[in-house]
Amino acid sequence: NASTTSGLLINFASLTPLICSVSPSGLVSALSAGDCRLEISQSGDDTYAPATTIVMTVRIRATQSVTASAASTVVMTSPQTQITASATSGLGLTYTSTTPSICAVSGTGLITALAAGECVVRVSQAGSTTYAAASTTVTVQVVRAAQSISAPGSVTAVIGNAAVSIGASSSVGLALTYTSLTPQFCLSSAGGFVSAVALGDCQVQISQSGNIIYAPADNVIILVAIRNGQTITASQLNGLILGTSATISANSSSGLGLTFTSTTPLICGVDSSGRVVTLMTGTCQIRLSQAGDSVWAASEKLISFAVVAPRPTVVTKVVAVTQIVSATTAKAKYTWARPVNHVYSLPTSYVIKWRTITSGGVASAWRQITVTRQLWYSPMLKRGLTLVVQIAANGPGGVGPVIKTTRKL
């Protein structure tokens, strides 16, 4: 695009014919990459002198393209994604965030999300002596992570009692907001406690508004039943012998019926009337519950007691036989019959306690031995002593009654 003040025809010539050519009208054609030098002149005429020749440089460059890609979406809990990019020239790239409030980008193309929104990164190649500049953009949607609220379906608050905790939580641990939608029945506090105001069904809304990382959670509305309190009173069983039964005497202050449940069904059972049946030794625990109604809150009470094996009964048919060993010594043989017992109290051994008494009334200390058979021999003793022996059966429930025998050797 050249002109002269005289309006005379301009002459164009390429000084670098291997790089470019130029037409008489000044149209430049690129032949190869490099700096094209054009001579522009006007030789003058009868009126005008020749113009000063101008040499113009036109840079001839090869075209190049830039391709780039990244994840379409980034969640704020995992806020980074890597751009994969290249130029057809193979030259190095430059990364620039055009939305710096939404995201930042490193010199290697690593995007770091800063806030929710649309992140745009320009990927550029500045060109060289051979290639022209080129660029493209990458768009990534930055979103906040989801969260949810966990809460019980319903809670009961008792008039006159302390406030109760709703027990709700955010899946990501953020603080919750509680709002009573029916303040005529209950009031809620910032810490998630509900205070009863009047009988009825109260609704409490639980919300979490989110933050820079997490989106707001869906609101949850729970039912808080406002009820009168009731108590359960029950007789305490001090313990039962295995194989026996007993009935728990109990009632609720509301007058509503009770439900009996054994929490230790291997040790004891209970029927709907509160009759307890023992099944094996151990600690029996019975839950007494009252489910409540539209006026009364649910209540429960636990009672526990030991189930023990019965002690064996007294041994029978004790027979003592003196055996003379010499003119001065003797011993005694004792046999007895196993006691007739309950199946749970069969003896596992027998406890023998014995001592001697002289003719002058001097008694020795008691000695004890445990045997497993219904047979015991006393040690060798001096003739003339009186041997006092006590025999008792020992079983799972302990040692049974003692039977005492006295025999002069």
Side-chain angles (χ1 to χ4, degrees):
N1 185 17
S3 63
T4 64
T5 57
S6 66
L8 297 176
L9 185 66
I10 297 175
N11 299 315
F12 298 94
S14 173
L15 301 178
T16 53
L18 296 179
I19 295 175
C20 62
S21 63
V22 63
S23 71
S25 61
L27 179 64
V28 180
S29 298
L31 302 178
S32 64
D35 289 341
C36 165
R37 299 179 69 230
L38 299 175
E39 182 182 80
I40 306 172
S41 61
Q42 211 300 312
S43 57
D45 60 7
D46 293 339
T47 303
Y48 292 95
T52 301
T53 300
I54 296 174
V55 177
M56 178 180 182
T57 301
V58 178
R59 292 179 177 176
I60 307 299
R61 300 290 185 265
T63 60
Q64 64 171 323
S65 62
V66 176
T67 57
S69 63
S72 60
T73 303
V74 169
V75 181
M76 285 297 293
T77 48
S78 300
Q80 291 186 321
T81 186
Q82 178 67 50
I83 297 175
T84 301
S86 63
T88 54
S89 65
L91 297 175
L93 300 172
T94 300
Y95 302 88
T96 306
S97 172
T98 64
T99 53
S101 63
I102 303 297
C103 62
V105 64
S106 71
T108 59
L110 180 65
I111 293 176
T112 300
L114 304 176
E118 186 175 80
C119 165
V120 180
V121 173
R122 180 171 299 280
V123 185
S124 307
Q125 210 302 303
S128 65
T129 57
T130 304
Y131 291 96
S135 67
T136 189
T137 58
V138 172
T139 301
V140 176
Q141 297 298 325
V142 179
V143 298
R144 290 185 286 179
Q147 62 167 319
S148 60
I149 295 173
S150 297
S154 63
V155 174
T156 298
V158 176
I159 293 176
N161 284 6
V164 296
S165 173
I166 290 177
S169 62
S170 158
S171 60
V172 296
L174 296 179
L176 301 175
T177 300
Y178 301 84
T179 306
S180 174
L181 303 180
T182 51
Q184 68 271 30
F185 295 123
C186 74
L187 299 176
S188 60
S189 69
F193 287 87
V194 176
S195 301
V197 175
L199 282 175
D201 290 333
C202 179
Q203 288 185 323
V204 175
Q205 177 177 280
I206 308 169
S207 58
Q208 212 302 308
S209 58
N211 58 15
I212 192 171
I213 296 176
Y214 294 100
D218 291 336
N219 292 340
V220 173
I221 296 177
I222 71 163
L223 176 70
V224 180
I226 309 301
R227 301 293 186 262
N228 289 320
Q230 62 171 319
T231 57
I232 296 173
T233 57
S235 59
Q236 178 64 46
L237 299 179
N238 293 324
L240 290 178
I241 294 175
L242 184 61
T244 64
S245 63
T247 298
I248 299 172
S249 176
N251 60 74
S252 67
S253 59
S254 65
L256 299 176
L258 298 176
T259 299
F260 299 87
T261 307
S262 172
T263 64
T264 52
L266 296 180
I267 294 173
C268 60
V270 64
D271 64 17
S272 58
S273 68
R275 180 175 175 271
V276 179
V277 177
T278 57
L279 304 174
M280 66 181 295
T281 58
T283 299
C284 170
Q285 187 176 72
I286 304 295
R287 176 183 289 115
L288 291 70
S289 55
Q290 209 302 304
D293 58 14
S294 60
V295 176
W296 299 96
S299 181
E300 70 173 35
K301 181 183 182 68
L302 291 175
I303 63 172
S304 59
F305 52 88
V307 177
V308 298
R311 294 191 305 162
T313 56
V314 67
V315 299
T316 60
K317 300 180 182 179
V318 177
V319 177
V321 178
T322 301
Q323 297 180 343
I324 305 300
V325 178
S326 68
T328 58
T329 59
K331 64 180 180 178
K333 173 185 177 183
Y334 289 82
T335 59
W336 56 90
R338 188 172 68 176
V340 178
N341 292 283
H342 189 281
V343 65
Y344 299 119
S345 62
L346 295 177
T348 56
S349 62
Y350 299 92
V351 178
I352 311 297
K353 292 181 68 176
W354 61 274
R355 70 177 180 179
T356 58
I357 301 175
T358 66
S359 57
V362 179
S364 67
W366 285 101
R367 299 182 184 181
Q368 181 174 309
I369 189 172
T370 299
V371 299
T372 56
R373 297 189 302 164
Q374 291 129 257
L375 170 67
W376 177 69
Y377 287 95
S378 74
M380 200 77 66
L381 299 170
K382 185 177 180 180
R383 291 183 63 183
L385 292 175
T386 297
L387 179 60
V388 181
V389 176
Q390 295 179 353
I391 304 173
N394 183 35
V399 179
V402 171
I403 188 169
K404 180 178 178 181
T405 68
T406 301
R407 187 173 189 83
K408 188 172 183 178
L409 300 176

